[in-house]
Amino acid sequence: MDVITSREELAEFCDRAPSHDFMTVDTEFLRETTYWPKLCLLQAATVDEAVLIDPLAKGMDLTPFFELLESPSLVKVFHAARQDIEIFVKLTGRVPKNIYDTQIAASVCGYGDSVSYDNLVRSITKVSLDKSSRFTDWAARPLSEKQRRYALADVTHLRDIYLALRDKVRDTRRQDWVEDEMSVLRNIDTYVVQPDRAWERLKLKINRPRELAALKRLAAWRERRAQEMDQPRNRIFKDDVLYELAVQRPLTPEDFEKLRAVPRGFGRSAQAAEIMALLGQVESLGKDELPQLPERYRGPSPKGAVGDLVRVLLKAVAEQNDVAARIIATSDDIDALVLDDDADVAALRGWRRSLFGEKALAIKHGRIGLAATPDGIVEVPLDGSESSV
């Protein structure tokens, strides 16, 4: 279990890897005190080789590995890939080519929603992993023998998991299901946070257009500051602080003293000066320059009885087809289709519409009902006959 610590050793591995069909990849990183994840270790394995790569080694150059990630013929296999890929996007500006996420594949093969790696290893390989090193300090050197064994296990067992899931997806003809989910991971916008859109991450608790204008600017300011200082956004300001600032909009140092969300004396800080400047811009906006609040539906709540029936249908369809419910439809999808037959949601497109969406709309319009039987939930058409979900 020697660790690769030089560009030359890394280049040799990267020259060998493309002779195989796939390579499993994982990372260890730290992020508790930073905005950007700090890469501490890379793990990779082909069919006959597994390596640990130390990005913190003196003089290490990861260019050969980054070039390997660009290989269009070599499948790069991850489990729960989003955070790993985010690291590579930050370091290279690109999403690795030809990626495959076993967590997504597992969700369409009956292993549940967001199944963990160790549970998947146990289910498929019958091996129980020692996860006690999960929260160790991966930036400390030298790495212990226990850390190295833990890190290698994250890519060696992944080989067997990938082969098993790849075959099951193929045998059940669900490649399109996996591809639909993978398209999100392949989109670089999934990993790049634009400060001007940072407000979209917040739960909207705003009732007036000028408050929304303030919230948008405050969220963008926090995001830029967090990125520049490489600190978690909540260390700059927590969400509740943004809401209070957006509603109260302090314009003088004295105004800050009336707020509960900031400490005394904050109004005379450099941060407060920046906030007062951007809130001053908000106050100067004319009514025609203010953003419109999202329209709020005024009809029956999608959380009511119809929505409940559609959720029961979703659970039944998911169980019948041995697929995680979240892959078929989200709670927001259900709310949207209850309100609008033509809602722009995944549940009303492609294979999801055939599997679930059409039946959901039929329930909504009273064309079918649901009944519980010893064999599970069945559809009850208007003519009174029964058919299985």
Side-chain angles (χ1 to χ4, degrees):
M1 285 196 297
D2 290 338
V3 181
I4 291 177
T5 58
S6 71
R7 187 187 194 281
E8 291 72 26
E9 292 176 295
L10 179 58
E12 290 175 3
F13 168 75
C14 293
D15 286 341
R16 295 189 296 270
S19 64
H20 302 280
D21 293 333
F22 71 93
M23 172 181 71
T24 57
V25 184
D26 192 35
T27 66
E28 305 298 340
F29 58 90
L30 297 177
R31 198 175 196 167
E32 288 78 6
T33 61
T34 61
Y35 181 92
W36 308 106
K38 178 183 179 181
L39 179 62
C40 299
L41 189 68
L42 271 170
Q43 305 102 281
T46 59
V47 171
D48 58 4
E49 183 177 11
V51 298
L52 301 177
I53 304 161
D54 187 358
L56 304 182
K58 185 176 180 180
M60 172 56 88
D61 179 1
L62 296 176
T63 300
F65 193 80
F66 295 152
E67 292 174 349
L68 182 61
L69 294 177
E70 289 293 298
S71 169
S73 59
L74 182 68
V75 179
K76 273 69 68 174
V77 181
F78 298 83
H79 182 80
R82 187 169 298 213
Q83 291 191 84
D84 300 313
I85 294 175
E86 181 187 7
I87 292 172
F88 295 129
V89 169
K90 178 65 171 63
L91 293 174
T92 69
R94 299 181 299 277
V95 177
K97 288 185 170 60
N98 203 357
I99 57 177
Y100 193 95
D101 191 333
T102 55
Q103 189 177 72
I104 289 174
S107 69
V108 305
C109 290
Y111 291 95
D113 183 19
S114 302
V115 62
S116 68
Y117 179 68
D118 47 322
N119 284 338
L120 205 52
V121 170
R122 190 179 306 113
S123 296
I124 292 178
T125 71
K126 311 306 178 187
V127 173
S128 294
L129 297 179
D130 177 6
K131 304 298 286 185
S132 60
S133 295
R134 178 181 299 178
F135 299 113
T136 56
D137 183 359
W138 290 102
R141 294 294 184 271
L143 295 171
S144 69
E145 182 79 3
K146 190 174 182 180
Q147 283 179 304
R148 286 183 283 176
R149 287 189 182 280
Y150 167 90
L152 270 182
D154 279 347
V155 288
T156 52
H157 296 296
L158 189 54
R159 296 178 295 201
D160 295 326
I161 289 172
Y162 166 67
L163 292 172
L165 292 176
R166 183 193 64 182
D167 291 347
K168 190 168 184 179
V169 168
R170 181 199 61 213
D171 293 344
T172 56
R173 299 182 180 180
R174 293 181 176 180
Q175 293 97 327
D176 290 347
W177 300 19
V178 173
E179 284 300 307
D180 275 359
E181 293 296 304
M182 288 297 302
S183 64
V184 176
L185 292 180
R186 295 185 181 122
N187 186 347
I188 196 169
D189 291 340
T190 300
Y191 313 99
V192 179
V193 178
Q194 300 294 342
D196 289 340
R197 300 189 61 179
W199 70 277
E200 296 174 358
R201 303 168 64 98
L202 303 171
K203 294 182 179 179
L204 200 59
K205 301 177 182 177
I206 294 298
N207 298 312
R208 296 178 176 85
R210 201 170 299 275
E211 293 174 359
L212 179 56
L215 184 66
K216 287 184 173 184
R217 284 166 172 76
L218 288 164
W221 173 85
R222 180 180 69 170
E223 202 72 23
R224 291 190 185 94
R225 194 171 184 89
Q227 292 177 353
E228 292 165 0
M229 298 176 68
D230 194 17
Q231 290 187 356
R233 60 178 65 87
N234 280 345
R235 286 202 175 186
I236 307 299
F237 274 145
K238 293 185 177 179
D239 293 350
D240 288 347
V241 179
L242 295 188
Y243 288 122
E244 185 170 6
L245 290 171
V247 172
Q248 300 299 330
R249 298 192 296 284
L251 297 176
T252 68
E254 292 72 28
D255 289 340
F256 281 94
E257 299 300 320
K258 303 173 186 176
L259 305 181
R260 295 178 299 174
V262 297
R264 287 197 171 278
F266 177 82
R268 305 193 183 281
S269 68
Q271 283 189 0
E274 294 178 20
I275 292 170
M276 286 186 288
L278 69 86
L279 290 178
Q281 296 171 6
V282 171
E283 293 302 317
S284 67
L285 293 174
K287 288 186 177 181
D288 58 341
E289 298 177 287
L290 296 174
Q292 290 187 344
L293 292 172
E295 292 187 11
R296 295 182 178 178
Y297 177 71
R298 303 297 182 184
S301 170
K303 305 293 185 184
V306 174
D308 290 342
L309 277 174
V310 174
R311 286 174 171 83
V312 172
L313 171 71
L314 174 61
K315 183 175 177 60
V317 168
E319 290 178 352
Q320 181 72 21
N321 290 275
D322 207 15
V323 59
R326 185 194 62 81
I327 295 295
I328 302 173
T330 66
S331 182
D332 287 344
D333 284 352
I334 291 175
D335 289 350
L337 70 84
V338 168
L339 300 178
D340 181 2
D341 287 4
D342 298 315
D344 184 18
V345 294
L348 292 179
R349 296 193 295 269
W351 65 268
R352 292 177 176 87
R353 185 179 185 106
S354 301
L355 192 70
F356 166 75
E358 289 290 351
K359 295 177 181 179
L361 294 175
I363 285 178
K364 172 183 172 180
H365 292 289
R367 295 193 294 271
I368 63 172
L370 298 176
T373 75
D375 296 323
I377 299 297
V378 297
E379 300 168 23
V380 182
L382 289 180
D383 62 7
S385 61
E386 295 183 355
S387 62
S388 168
V389 173

